[in-house]
Amino acid sequence: MELLSLRSERFRPDFEPVMPYPEPAEKFPYRSRFRAALATLQREGRYRVFADIIRQRGSFPAATLRTGAGTTPITVWCSNDYLNMGQHPKVLAAMKEAIETVGAGSGGTRNISGTTHYHVELERELADLHGKAGALLFTSGYVSNDATLSTLAKILPGLIIFSDALNHASMIDGIRHGQATKHIYHHNDMAHLEELLAMADPAAPKLIAFEGVYSMEGNFSDTRAICDLAEKYGAMTYIDEVHAVGLYGPRGGGVAERDGTMHRIDIIEGTLAKAFGVMGGYIAASAEIIDCIRSFAPGFIFTTSLAPVLAAGALASIRHLKNSSVERRMITEHASCLKAMMKLAGLPVMASPSHIVPLFVGDAALCKSVSDALLRDHRIYAQPINYPTVPRGGERLRFTPSPAHSQAMMEKLIEALAMIWDSHSLPRCIPS
């Protein structure tokens, strides 16, 4: 069945609202300003289109794309469910049992009836995963970063935060909301970080904020070097392991576990929505830090807690991955294989030592056109990555080969990309 133009796939209500009365005249041109803002995105090729997808339980990355013309089978190549744990029988069984036992929602904030035994057990499991005294659950990784970093700035007056230039938007927002003094160091540049630390007031509280795996570049931070600098200059350390938990380390504790530095890092932040395959965010830290964030962070205090069914699924996923390295080994092998195949085909795959496979395009409109062609002509789904997720001129496609992506799927992807690269006259090299 032919796909409709992607313009028809924009998210919109299934009905037109009835307007019983004429719309009042605007004293300010609100609508025109909104339309102008959207027109700018469309003109730059950055307007985001949501694909209406139904994942097929038990056969992912196979999925179904829904359009006005019906349904079409597709292969998903951009999922953050890195290890397919969202499909794992243990996870599904735990979630079914939880919903049969306690029902759907949690019923409130953590302070008001929203702390169930599932939450308690999950926080204990996360603390154990990272070798910390405690852990604290949030509704998402974004919220955990925003709430924690902004609250630290309020608890520690005069705090100076040293932030990697490629830190995630949630970390940037958390630092901004806390109104702490911040210094941005060049990405993974330890000399620049030390230069900034050396210039800071020796008596001031300090925090180095960085990521374990940078999701768009696919590279790692040097956790040992950062911990050395933190100890030398009396700084705390905060690592975002969102794209690393479940994937690295003997038990899936992340890059810090792999590097043997978990005990040297003060706060470890992670997600339950990527390698663990469910939903939610968390931090793991000392008992004092956990209690302070629990007691002072509005993003934790005033938010309804995770549904118990989600906590149950995440708990089962973490327990499985603590004891199974099969999934980690397979994703490493598949990512390495896909990178090698792209290089052999002359495609501009960006250097990445991790499980993330970024393919350089360098133009927003072209990036969207390639993505559209993959979906329309080859039934392959990979969303374009444009500004502000990456800098202008750094537009790319980002592929995430999971344990379930077969050799045949990889070969089909490479064939499709080569055809599109030729038809679009795209460069085969990455600008220096």
Side-chain angles (χ1 to χ4, degrees):
M1 184 178 294
E2 290 188 8
L3 296 177
L4 292 180
S5 164
L6 291 186
R7 289 180 64 85
S8 68
E9 295 168 18
R10 294 175 187 165
F11 178 76
R12 61 182 185 275
D14 294 329
F15 61 91
E16 292 295 331
V18 176
M19 301 298 294
Y21 303 106
E23 295 183 17
E26 292 182 324
K27 294 183 178 179
F28 184 86
Y30 296 106
R31 284 190 194 84
S32 64
R33 295 295 175 88
F34 295 142
R35 293 187 187 112
L38 291 171
T40 299
L41 290 180
Q42 291 166 339
R43 185 170 59 253
E44 295 177 355
R46 296 192 295 116
Y47 184 80
R48 296 174 189 259
V49 174
F50 293 168
D52 184 348
I53 291 174
I54 299 176
R55 304 209 314 173
Q56 297 176 8
R57 180 173 62 86
S59 60
F60 193 76
T64 300
L65 175 69
R66 294 172 59 89
T67 69
T71 60
T72 305
I74 62 171
T75 302
V76 177
W77 270 100
C78 56
S79 174
N80 283 340
D81 185 0
Y82 293 131
L83 300 178
N84 306 128
M85 291 304 294
Q87 307 285 311
H88 199 282
K90 290 181 182 178
V91 174
L92 300 183
M95 296 180 80
K96 287 177 182 177
E97 181 182 356
I99 204 164
E100 290 295 331
T101 302
V102 300
S106 68
T109 64
R110 289 293 297 275
N111 188 51
I112 304 176
S113 80
T115 297
T116 70
H117 189 61
Y118 294 99
H119 297 86
V120 174
E121 283 292 294
L122 179 52
E123 286 176 339
R124 287 174 181 166
E125 202 73 30
L126 288 165
D128 173 76
L129 176 65
H130 295 294
K132 300 297 182 186
L136 194 65
L137 286 170
F138 295 84
T139 51
S140 73
Y142 195 105
V143 175
S144 55
N145 270 333
D146 188 4
T148 303
L149 287 165
S150 60
T151 301
L152 287 171
K154 295 170 184 175
I155 294 173
L156 300 169
L159 178 65
I160 304 171
I161 299 180
F162 301 84
S163 177
D164 188 284
L166 293 188
N167 276 345
H168 189 264
S170 57
M171 300 175 77
I172 295 168
D173 276 355
I175 294 168
R176 182 185 298 119
H177 294 157
Q179 299 181 336
T181 299
K182 72 173 179 181
H183 296 292
I184 300 172
Y185 63 92
H186 305 322
H187 177 54
N188 275 347
D189 188 333
M190 297 299 98
H192 188 223
L193 174 57
E194 181 162 22
E195 179 184 334
L196 294 173
L197 285 164
M199 291 190 299
D201 179 358
K206 304 174 190 66
L207 176 75
I208 304 172
F210 58 103
E211 299 186 33
V213 176
Y214 289 87
S215 62
M216 296 301 141
E217 306 299 317
N219 58 1
F220 299 108
S221 61
D222 186 342
T223 65
R224 293 190 185 92
I226 290 173
C227 288
D228 289 344
L229 289 175
E231 291 168 9
K232 180 177 179 179
Y233 291 96
M236 292 177 63
T237 44
Y238 183 106
I239 187 170
D240 176 319
E241 291 270 42
V242 160
H243 293 273
V245 289
L247 294 157
Y248 300 95
R251 299 197 306 160
V255 172
E257 184 190 28
R258 183 200 67 179
D259 294 350
T261 54
M262 281 201 305
H263 64 289
R264 302 177 66 190
I265 296 176
D266 295 288
I267 303 173
I268 297 173
E269 185 269 347
T271 186
L272 307 171
K274 293 183 171 60
F276 294 133
V278 191
M279 180 181 176
Y282 67 89
I283 59 168
S286 67
E288 295 81 5
I289 291 174
I290 293 298
D291 206 9
C292 276
I293 302 303
R294 180 188 72 87
S295 301
F296 291 102
F300 175 82
I301 296 169
F302 298 106
T303 301
T304 298
S305 65
L306 280 178
V309 63
L310 298 175
L315 185 61
S317 182
I318 293 164
R319 285 174 173 168
H320 173 80
L321 290 173
K322 278 182 175 179
N323 296 290
S324 173
S325 295
V326 174
E327 295 83 1
R328 285 188 281 278
R329 185 180 69 251
M330 289 182 69
I331 193 173
T332 299
E333 292 173 354
H334 288 190
S336 297
C337 181
L338 184 61
K339 291 171 194 174
M341 291 171 72
M342 286 182 172
K343 288 179 181 177
L344 188 62
L347 294 166
V349 59
M350 302 170 70
S352 162
S354 72
H355 61 285
I356 294 164
V357 184
L359 190 62
F360 183 82
V361 178
D363 178 88
L366 280 174
C367 197
K368 185 178 184 305
S369 181
V370 172
S371 172
D372 290 353
L374 279 171
L375 186 59
R376 181 186 61 245
D377 301 331
H378 303 279
R379 310 293 195 260
I380 291 170
Y381 178 53
Q383 275 290 70
I385 306 297
N386 295 329
Y387 177 84
T389 307
V390 294
R392 297 179 193 275
E395 292 83 3
R396 68 202 64 175
L397 296 172
R398 175 181 176 273
F399 297 96
T400 52
S402 74
H405 284 87
S406 67
Q407 181 72 20
M409 290 176 184
M410 293 188 201
E411 291 171 357
K412 181 181 177 182
L413 172 63
I414 297 300
E415 181 182 356
L417 286 169
M419 290 174 60
I420 294 169
W421 240 251
D422 289 340
S423 66
H424 285 65
S425 299
L426 288 168
R428 297 279 182 157
C429 60
I430 304 170
S432 57

